[in-house]
Amino acid sequence: MSDVNKTLLKWHASFRKGTDFDSWGQLVEAIDEYQILARQLQKEVQSSNSTDFTEEQKKTLGKIATCLEMRSISLQSTQSTEEFKLEDLKKLESIIKNILTYNKEFPFDVQPVPLRKILAPGEEENMELEGEDAAAVAGSTEAFPPRAPGTLLPRLPSEPGMTLLTIRIEKIGLKDAGQCIDPYMTISAKDSNGMDLNPVQDTPVATKKEDIYIHFSMDVDIQKHLEKLPKGAAIFFEFKHYKPKKRFTSTKCFAFLEMDEIKPGPIVIELYKKPTDFKRKKLQLLTKKPLYLHLHQTLHKDS
């Protein structure tokens, strides 16, 4: 069997694996598989040394990569307005399997992703996209650039009659806390449609672990006056850690504070399963055990 046929068999197997996970409701695994395959296809498309495929075939592979990304975004359903359905994606199986002989019109009106890296899940937390590349990310509605871990921002200047919020992340309870490598927290404020309201911040890596707890003891200053946050807004906390076997940073779970929960003093909030649902439509508790995110809120008002 030729190398190119081996590659096609591997791609087809990966495609089937992803759609199987998708149909079984294992969405996190499906997203991982789709994004890994999309990255492999894009690597082939961008390779100037490859002679295995014609330019037209590479264009088709690029369009398949775009569809895989679109399906991934639909599954995450946090910032996507248009859905790309599983049955639509399955129409591409015969194309990827028979790319060497495929000569029909592509079934969807999409374009190959512009030249850029397609990131594996969590890789975006370690890399920054710039300029037009950032705007090219399918379905992206980020109004603020990503920040590297450990880049907390200072408190905003006070304004008369306006309130600022400092949240101290005390600790998080997890049954496998001791096994989490390089854990940190990403904090963002979103409106009810999942749109960013201010710059996203990442804590430094937490180094203290004790029994079922990872201790942060870090202050985060929310980068917007509370009076300027729209109705239905929420502050999100995404717990992330490094997976050495997969060699990328992954979101393990998330939590959020809604506007009516913002008040001075300590608070514990529930943890939810990934992927992060910024629209708060499909929430699933991480565990039935009494494990929570422990916070302390301080309000600063300039009278």
Side-chain angles (χ1 to χ4, degrees):
M1 183 182 293
S2 67
D3 287 343
V4 66
N5 282 320
K6 288 179 183 176
T7 299
L8 292 177
L9 280 176
K10 188 173 79 171
W11 288 348
H12 182 235
S14 178
F15 186 94
R16 283 295 299 270
K17 191 175 177 184
T19 53
D20 283 346
F21 279 138
D22 200 341
S23 62
W24 298 334
Q26 294 177 242
L27 304 189
V28 173
E29 291 82 359
I31 290 167
D32 283 10
E33 201 64 41
Y34 289 152
Q35 293 186 347
I36 288 167
L37 177 57
R39 186 173 54 167
Q40 291 172 350
L41 297 180
Q42 191 68 4
K43 186 177 178 181
E44 182 65 42
V45 170
Q46 294 177 8
S47 173
S48 56
N49 300 323
S50 173
T51 56
D52 292 333
F53 303 97
T54 66
E55 287 306 307
E56 197 60 33
Q57 288 166 351
K58 284 185 177 182
K59 190 174 181 181
T60 300
L61 291 173
K63 290 182 177 183
I64 293 172
T66 298
C67 293
L68 289 165
E69 279 206 276
M70 290 169 66
R71 180 59 187 161
S72 296
I73 292 166
S74 289
L75 289 179
Q76 293 175 70
S77 67
T78 57
Q79 298 179 341
S80 173
T81 54
E82 294 185 13
E83 289 192 3
F84 194 81
K85 301 186 186 311
L86 175 59
E87 49 262 43
D88 291 333
L89 191 65
K90 284 184 174 181
K91 293 175 184 176
L92 305 181
E93 183 174 354
S94 61
I95 301 177
I96 199 168
K97 190 176 179 181
N98 303 298
I99 188 68
L100 296 177
T101 55
Y102 183 78
N103 58 7
K104 297 178 183 177
E105 189 174 341
F106 198 79
F108 305 108
D109 185 18
V110 298
Q111 293 303 314
V113 177
L115 292 182
R116 67 172 182 84
K117 284 198 172 185
I118 291 182
L119 306 175
E123 252 189 326
E124 70 276 6
E125 294 146 20
N126 299 322
M127 300 179 66
E128 292 195 7
L129 300 174
E130 298 177 357
E132 293 181 357
D133 289 342
V137 180
S140 175
T141 57
E142 285 189 356
F144 302 92
R147 303 179 64 83
T151 50
L152 294 177
L153 296 167
R155 191 186 309 166
L156 293 175
S158 59
E159 293 183 18
M162 299 297 238
T163 309
L164 289 167
L165 171 64
T166 299
I167 299 175
R168 186 170 184 80
I169 302 175
E170 299 283 10
K171 61 185 179 181
I172 187 171
L174 298 165
K175 63 180 181 179
D176 56 351
Q179 299 173 27
C180 295
I181 298 172
D182 293 344
Y184 69 97
M185 200 79 70
T186 295
I187 302 94
S188 58
K190 309 276 187 182
D191 66 13
S192 56
N193 293 316
M195 297 284 289
D196 281 319
L197 296 170
N198 60 17
V200 176
Q201 301 183 70
D202 292 313
T203 70
V205 168
T207 55
K208 184 181 176 184
K209 300 173 186 175
E210 186 180 47
D211 194 20
I212 59 169
Y213 292 107
I214 296 174
H215 293 263
F216 283 85
S217 302
M218 299 173 189
D219 288 338
V220 181
D221 288 293
I222 302 305
Q223 299 295 299
K224 207 172 192 72
H225 294 90
L226 295 184
E227 290 81 3
K228 296 179 181 179
L229 289 174
K231 186 179 180 181
I235 298 168
F236 282 82
F237 305 84
E238 296 173 271
F239 177 80
K240 300 177 179 180
H241 65 127
Y242 181 69
K243 289 186 171 181
K245 287 185 179 179
K246 296 186 177 180
R247 291 184 293 178
F248 61 71
T249 299
S250 172
T251 300
K252 183 177 181 65
C253 59
F254 71 99
F256 57 87
L257 269 177
E258 295 188 314
M259 297 302 291
D260 60 359
E261 296 175 298
I262 296 177
K263 56 193 71 172
I267 186 172
V268 294
I269 55 177
E270 293 178 314
L271 302 172
Y272 296 95
K273 290 181 180 179
K274 63 179 181 180
T276 309
D277 181 5
F278 292 122
K279 292 183 180 180
R280 292 162 274 160
K281 300 286 188 184
K282 303 174 183 177
L283 299 172
Q284 283 185 287
L285 286 173
L286 178 67
T287 177
K288 293 180 181 177
K289 295 180 179 179
L291 299 172
Y292 306 99
L293 178 61
H294 297 249
L295 308 171
H296 190 282
Q297 302 180 82
T298 303
L299 301 181
H300 313 272
K301 187 154 188 173
D302 187 351
S303 56

